[in-house]
Amino acid sequence: RGDPVTDEGSRAVKMMFILGREEGKEMSEELKEEIRTHDDIYFVPQLRERRTVLKYKVLWGLHHSLKIANFTYFVKTDQDIMVNFPRLLADLRSSPRERLYTGNCAMVYGMDWDHYPNWGYCSGGGYVLSRDVVGEMVQLPGEVHNVPFEPEDAYVGWLIRNLNARTNSTVPVKMRLWGVLHVKPYSCGPFKSWFYHTVRTPEKMYSFFDRVNSNDSTPCEV
């Protein structure tokens, strides 16, 4: 938390939850109150909630983040991911501040059509982009942004691939292949990953959050 613009030099974090419209549903009073209270939910009515629109929600978030925050890194996660902020922030302090695209990046996507080659990408469970890369991604032309395939994480990798193919920079954006997404069952430390998958209940989420932030690194069977 904190002012994402005026707290420059601090470790302020600006949260963004991006929602599209749901056909036939009115926005609940609880959601309206949460929007008023926390100022971190962004309703985009031109996007209808469904799996195929996720890539465009991320693209909207990339565009809008540049308008509302003077950030160094853009971090995207899924709704079922718990972020280990102490470890993430500590690692980012020693990471490049430019030309960065990193996360759990051992994935490869390819299309059946000849004009779509294979390319690598980082898992949508959690990845990081430096601000300069975000700025260049949103400037890519419409024929790059508007493509038929659905996976959001592969889509971001596609944008990076095209950015490297079109950029005038002599420094390409390289994927850093960090194993930072933990998807196996877990109940206690050491907590070395940035992102943890399937924290399913509020009780488990609060317990896990407390253990991570208390720097409880006691190992145990998982």
Side-chain angles (χ1 to χ4, degrees):
R1 295 285 181 177
D3 189 315
V5 176
T6 60
D7 288 354
E8 183 159 2
S10 74
R11 293 186 295 173
V13 176
K14 172 64 176 175
M15 307 294 291
M16 295 177 64
F17 298 93
I18 302 170
L19 303 179
R21 76 179 190 280
E22 293 191 68
E23 292 293 339
K25 289 188 177 182
E26 299 267 337
M27 187 182 294
S28 69
E29 291 303 317
E30 291 84 355
L31 180 56
K32 291 178 182 178
E33 179 61 27
E34 188 168 348
I35 291 173
R36 288 191 293 267
T37 302
H38 297 293
D39 190 31
D40 56 10
I41 298 176
Y42 297 85
F43 179 60
V44 188
Q46 62 267 36
L47 298 177
R48 182 165 65 88
E49 282 290 355
R50 59 190 191 280
R51 184 174 179 81
T52 56
V53 84
L54 181 55
K55 62 186 180 185
Y56 295 123
K57 289 171 71 175
V58 171
L59 185 60
W60 187 93
L62 293 172
H63 274 278
H64 198 65
S65 67
L66 295 167
K67 300 176 182 178
I68 65 171
N70 185 23
F71 63 90
T72 304
Y73 302 107
F74 179 99
V75 181
K76 183 269 173 186
T77 69
D78 288 336
Q79 80 279 4
D80 55 357
I81 295 292
M82 188 75 179
V83 181
N84 182 353
F85 274 111
R87 183 61 182 247
L88 173 62
L89 294 173
D91 286 346
L92 288 180
R93 282 198 293 270
S94 60
S95 297
R97 299 171 76 89
E98 297 180 337
R99 319 311 296 163
L100 181 66
Y101 172 42
T102 189
N104 214 57
C105 306
M107 287 67 179
V108 177
Y109 193 80
M111 301 297 292
D112 294 331
W113 307 302
D114 290 340
H115 60 288
Y116 283 104
N118 293 339
W119 65 89
Y121 66 95
C122 302
S123 166
Y127 54 78
V128 179
L129 296 158
S130 56
R131 183 186 179 91
D132 62 317
V133 174
V134 172
E136 292 175 26
M137 289 168 70
V138 301
Q139 295 298 320
L140 288 166
E143 63 266 23
V144 175
H145 285 160
N146 299 314
V147 287
F149 54 86
E150 296 178 9
E152 158 270 323
D153 43 13
Y155 176 72
V156 171
W158 164 256
L159 297 183
I160 293 292
R161 180 187 184 277
N162 280 270
L163 177 62
N164 283 337
R166 295 166 180 263
T167 185
N168 294 323
S169 172
T170 58
V171 182
V173 181
K174 295 182 179 179
M175 288 193 301
R176 301 187 68 183
L177 308 179
W178 290 1
V180 295
L181 173 63
H182 192 109
V183 296
K184 296 179 181 179
Y186 54 83
S187 58
C188 54
F191 300 107
K192 296 181 179 180
S193 297
W194 293 353
F195 309 109
Y196 287 81
H197 184 232
T198 64
V199 181
R200 296 188 179 277
T201 66
E203 292 76 16
K204 288 183 178 180
M205 180 181 68
Y206 296 141
S207 174
F208 177 72
F209 183 83
D210 289 341
R211 288 184 63 88
V212 169
N213 282 278
S214 65
N215 200 26
D216 185 347
S217 60
T218 306
C220 62
E221 295 297 325
V222 296

